[in-house]
Amino acid sequence: MCGIAALSLAAPQDDASVLVDRMLDRLRHRGPEHKGIHREDQDRILLGHARLSINDLSDAGHQPLFNETGAICAIVNGEIYNYPDLRQELEARGHKFRSHSDSEVIVHLYEELGSACVEKLHGMFALVVYDSRTGELFCARDRIGKKPLVYAQTSSGTVIASEIPAVLEFPGVDRTIDEVALGIFLLRNFRHVPDPFTIYRGVKRLPPGHCMIIRQGSVTRLWRYFVPTFEPRIVTADEVLEHLDRAVRLRLLADVEIAGLLSGGIDSTAIIQSMQLQGAAPVSTYALGYGPDDSELIRARRAAKLLGCRHQEFYFDSNRHHDLMLDLWRIHGEPIALLPLAYAYDLCLRVHEDGHKVAMAGHGADELFYGYLGFQNMARLSRVLDTSFGQLSRPFASIGTSLFPHSSVMREAMVVAGHRPGRRKTALYRDEAARLLPELTTMRDPAASSKAIDEIFGTFMSSSVPRSYIDEAAIIGLMHENSHSVTIAGDLPAMAASIEVRCPFLDQDMVDLAWHTHYTLKVGSSRNRSELKLILKEALKDRLPQDLLYAPKQGFGFNIQEADVLSGPWKDKVDDALNEMGDLSGILSRSGVMSLRRDFSLNPTGRAATLILKLYSLAETIGR
């Protein structure tokens, strides 16, 4: 796992190598073991790489990597899990490899297929390939967006990196706050700035499943290569188990020991068990909690004993919680409002201190197989909307919406019912934007953020739309809304601690299988909590005991309640930061923010707490 940095300049710059070196210093946590820079075309093209060695620990695995002629050069952040098969095919076609690195297949595959090479890659990746034959940089990101890639176009060229702070090292990047992005960040379930936006007007993210061409310092083409489909089909529990075992098996490829993050829930326990069934025993596992009596630690102990793991547990140090969060905000380079990230960071630091570079984790299972309680409400609503009555009631839903002027479950149901499939989640965001943004901001065009939501969600729903609302909401949740707790959570806290987290449930074949599984196989009757993730539990019923399989759902870092933290140990820090923040170049409404703070002080719960945390993360990243 690594950090990458690249420049494509319109004209040579004397300090280009120094700039890339500084960018790599910013990314050192992602790759502390080696730093490499390659220069091309009279310093118009530079590719830099900070390495965390996992496959081929020798110097031969250092990046940038080249094909046999040196005409093609690549830097890669990620893991290509099907590289043994790809390498065998490429060697049969006459390609010569210099290393045993999984990333080296990319330069040879690009030589064969050009930009179509990404369609052959099975894994998590953000990559940049330079083709000296055309003078172009080719950039790509994996289908689900497990690895980040940000870029900025300036008058002197385009800069690319794994993280925002590295991009900001390049002079001329527009650091103006993007008020549209800020507006989106404040809405509903977003706790991060979603792709393709960042909080800065001049910095963008390459969206998941997208490619980009850069030539002579300018982006000349950007397109989507991953076009999923969602048509339900008959899926069995045996298929789910087969896909899980295969996903785990692919992720066992490494030249270092692979540890496991073990919560004692079914997702992480199933992964550790699959690892051991496929020859990885005994696995070193790690859990974090609030003390010996923490229910999550008790379950993790039980699972570790059952599986025969080398298990360690640690206790969360709440006194340094704030410092850990500040560190993550600094590394991320923009606001992100999810306190359990600090909990995950603390655990990853313990794993790193114990000498590990790689750990398996259960990210994505709840989003794919519907493990959250909210899915039961969505299932009930979907059952109604899927009927003829539900479809005929669409024109009358706006009348129902007017009966519920404030945010409520009933208002949301009316908004959803009033829109066609593929537009329902967008409608919820438009509805909140119309009510919230005029209260908290002085944006000249508050509707611009809701229009941007159309673009974000619409891109993924443009080619294929799920029949049922629950599936639409879940897919948008995985790809956009919940990135903070799935893909960002699988990258940011781990890489901040210099370890790589591998997530079998986010395997592209597993994701595809889940998207084609009818929702009734995931939520069952939609009234019994024990039936959440029903097909996954059916798949594991002969492997895991009942008490682990049907333990109450408790999310990672469950005990970190925003309202308690913000009104308790962090209160003085939050007050000071918000007092100093100002209005962010006139974007925030001073009176609206003061009203929100007053409401929170009187009743520090729920939505107000989330908005206060969002504002605090803004203050600590860009507002002071």
Side-chain angles (χ1 to χ4, degrees):
M1 195 50 60
C2 312
I4 59 177
L7 299 179
S8 174
L9 303 174
Q13 282 186 211
D14 292 338
D15 64 344
S17 291
V18 175
L19 283 170
V20 173
D21 193 65
R22 287 212 306 261
M23 292 170 68
L24 293 176
D25 285 342
R26 284 283 198 169
L27 299 170
R28 191 173 187 278
H29 51 276
R30 299 186 75 91
E33 297 176 353
H34 178 262
K35 180 164 61 176
I37 299 175
H38 178 66
R39 302 152 62 182
E40 284 266 3
D41 193 19
Q42 299 177 317
D43 277 5
R44 289 184 179 89
I45 297 291
L46 291 96
L47 286 82
H49 189 265
R51 187 184 186 204
L52 179 67
S53 307
I54 292 172
N55 286 311
D56 190 345
L57 308 184
S58 72
D59 291 353
H62 290 341
Q63 297 189 36
L65 294 163
F66 302 86
N67 69 334
E68 300 91 336
T69 65
I72 296 168
C73 174
I75 47 175
V76 184
N77 169 29
E79 300 292 344
I80 309 303
Y81 298 125
N82 64 333
Y83 81 92
D85 292 340
L86 292 174
R87 178 175 178 139
Q88 186 175 12
E89 292 174 14
L90 289 162
E91 286 179 329
R93 296 178 66 85
H95 289 271
K96 305 297 182 185
F97 284 73
R98 294 188 174 95
S99 75
H100 293 282
S101 164
D102 60 300
S103 296
E104 192 182 349
V105 298
I106 290 171
V107 289
H108 301 289
L109 201 60
Y110 182 88
E111 185 180 359
E112 289 277 337
L113 301 175
S115 62
C117 68
V118 291
E119 296 173 19
K120 291 271 194 177
L121 301 178
H122 191 126
M124 56 178 179
F125 58 83
L127 59 87
V128 180
V129 177
Y130 175 64
D131 187 343
S132 63
R133 301 168 301 182
T134 62
E136 294 178 339
L137 285 182
F138 168 70
C139 311
R141 195 171 171 208
D142 68 71
R143 291 163 171 79
I144 309 300
K146 288 171 277 188
K147 293 290 111 183
L149 192 69
V150 291
Y151 66 97
Q153 295 187 80
T154 74
S155 58
S156 56
T158 297
V159 55
I160 309 155
S162 297
E163 294 169 354
I164 290 173
V167 167
L168 295 181
E169 288 290 334
F170 191 73
V173 174
D174 183 357
R175 297 179 180 224
T176 306
I177 297 171
D178 187 332
E179 68 173 28
V180 171
L182 190 152
I184 296 171
F185 173 63
L186 294 175
L187 295 177
R188 289 185 60 82
N189 299 329
F190 279 122
R191 292 171 176 269
H192 64 289
V193 180
D195 309 337
F197 299 94
T198 75
I199 202 63
Y200 299 104
R201 189 178 297 168
V203 183
K204 302 298 180 187
R205 274 193 185 82
L206 186 66
H210 280 66
C211 298
M212 179 171 64
I213 297 289
I214 301 169
R215 183 176 175 81
Q216 295 180 346
S218 297
V219 176
T220 59
R221 186 186 173 205
L222 194 156
W223 74 99
R224 175 180 165 195
Y225 72 88
F226 172 49
V227 182
T229 59
F230 311 113
E231 190 68 24
R233 66 173 180 82
I234 296 173
V235 173
T236 67
D238 286 343
E239 277 187 274
V240 173
L241 190 60
E242 289 169 8
H243 274 70
L244 176 61
D245 284 341
R246 179 173 181 269
V248 169
R249 183 166 61 253
L250 287 172
R251 284 155 182 78
L252 289 173
L253 289 171
D255 292 331
V256 296
E257 181 183 346
I258 300 177
L261 307 183
L262 182 62
S263 69
I266 66 170
D267 310 329
S268 60
T269 305
I271 288 170
I272 303 303
Q273 184 183 53
S274 181
M275 289 173 68
Q276 299 197 157
L277 288 172
Q278 299 185 76
V283 177
S284 296
T285 55
Y286 300 83
L288 185 73
Y290 280 83
D293 297 329
D294 187 313
S295 60
E296 188 163 297
L297 289 184
I298 293 171
R299 282 207 311 265
R301 256 179 253 141
R302 161 98 166 100
K305 183 177 180 181
L306 176 72
L307 300 177
C309 301
R310 298 192 299 260
H311 187 63
Q312 294 186 60
E313 64 180 40
F314 302 95
Y315 307 130
F316 184 66
D317 184 354
S318 59
N319 293 325
R320 67 183 188 130
H321 186 196
H322 186 261
D323 291 340
L324 291 171
M325 201 69 230
L326 287 180
D327 201 23
L328 289 178
W329 282 334
R330 174 187 58 80
I331 290 168
H332 193 52
E334 67 175 352
I336 184 166
L338 188 67
L339 295 181
L341 286 175
Y343 190 92
Y345 183 28
D346 198 2
L347 179 58
C348 289
L349 286 170
R350 312 300 180 103
V351 175
H352 171 77
E353 289 164 4
D354 205 37
H356 288 288
K357 296 181 183 181
V358 184
M360 295 271 199
H363 296 74
D366 287 314
E367 286 74 14
L368 290 168
F369 291 101
Y370 302 178
Y372 299 121
L373 294 179
F375 280 118
Q376 292 186 320
N377 289 332
M378 284 191 277
R380 287 193 284 271
L381 178 58
S382 295
R383 282 191 169 94
V384 174
L385 295 177
D386 289 349
T387 65
S388 298
F389 170 78
Q391 295 166 27
L392 291 171
S393 67
R394 190 180 304 157
F396 306 102
S398 59
I399 300 173
T401 302
S402 65
L403 299 176
F404 303 96
H406 303 293
S407 179
S408 67
V409 172
M410 284 305 299
R411 181 183 178 87
E412 291 191 6
M414 292 297 105
V415 172
V416 168
H419 292 81
R420 59 181 171 79
R423 298 284 300 171
R424 292 162 169 172
K425 202 69 176 179
T426 300
L428 286 174
Y429 275 87
R430 279 184 164 275
D431 184 61
E432 179 163 286
R435 291 179 292 116
L436 177 69
L437 295 186
E439 295 177 8
L440 284 182
T441 74
T442 57
M443 295 169 63
R444 292 180 298 275
D445 182 12
S449 291
S450 61
K451 292 175 184 174
I453 290 289
D454 289 356
E455 174 190 343
I456 295 168
F457 293 173
T459 298
F460 209 74
M461 291 291 171
S462 60
S463 57
S464 176
V465 176
R467 292 181 184 176
S468 299
Y469 170 63
I470 186 174
D471 294 324
E472 176 185 338
I475 290 160
I476 285 176
L478 177 68
M479 297 303 300
H480 300 292
E481 279 185 302
N482 294 337
S483 295
H484 50 261
S485 60
V486 184
T487 50
I488 295 175
D491 179 83
L492 174 60
M495 295 309 300
S498 301
I499 70 166
E500 171 186 297
V501 164
R502 298 181 175 184
C503 307
F505 282 106
L506 293 176
D507 179 87
Q508 61 201 54
D509 289 343
M510 176 66 85
V511 170
D512 185 68
L513 181 75
W515 281 349
H516 285 85
T517 302
H518 198 280
Y519 74 86
T520 56
L521 297 176
K522 302 178 187 181
V523 296
S525 67
S526 77
R527 295 189 180 278
N528 185 342
R529 291 185 179 187
S530 68
E531 292 186 0
L532 289 167
K533 290 196 287 196
L534 180 61
I535 194 170
L536 181 59
K537 290 173 180 175
E538 285 291 316
L540 297 168
K541 66 181 180 181
D542 294 330
R543 289 193 178 183
L544 299 181
Q546 295 287 300
D547 61 318
L548 291 179
L549 201 57
Y550 292 98
K553 173 65 183 171
Q554 186 166 305
F556 191 67
F558 175 81
N559 291 315
I560 303 176
Q561 297 299 313
E562 291 168 350
D564 295 339
V565 171
L566 297 173
S567 61
W570 289 21
K571 185 179 187 306
D572 290 343
K573 296 181 179 69
V574 172
D575 287 343
D576 290 345
L578 295 185
N579 288 337
E580 294 176 15
M581 179 170 65
D583 60 10
L584 297 184
S585 304
I587 299 173
L588 290 179
S589 164
R590 289 180 182 274
S591 61
V593 172
M594 287 301 296
S595 177
L596 173 67
R597 294 176 67 182
R598 190 164 49 249
D599 291 346
F600 177 69
S601 66
L602 294 173
N603 185 23
T605 57
R607 182 68 174 139
T610 299
L611 285 169
I612 290 292
L613 179 59
K614 290 183 179 186
L615 292 175
Y616 183 47
S617 70
L618 275 164
E620 290 293 357
T621 52
I622 62 172
R624 296 209 281 182

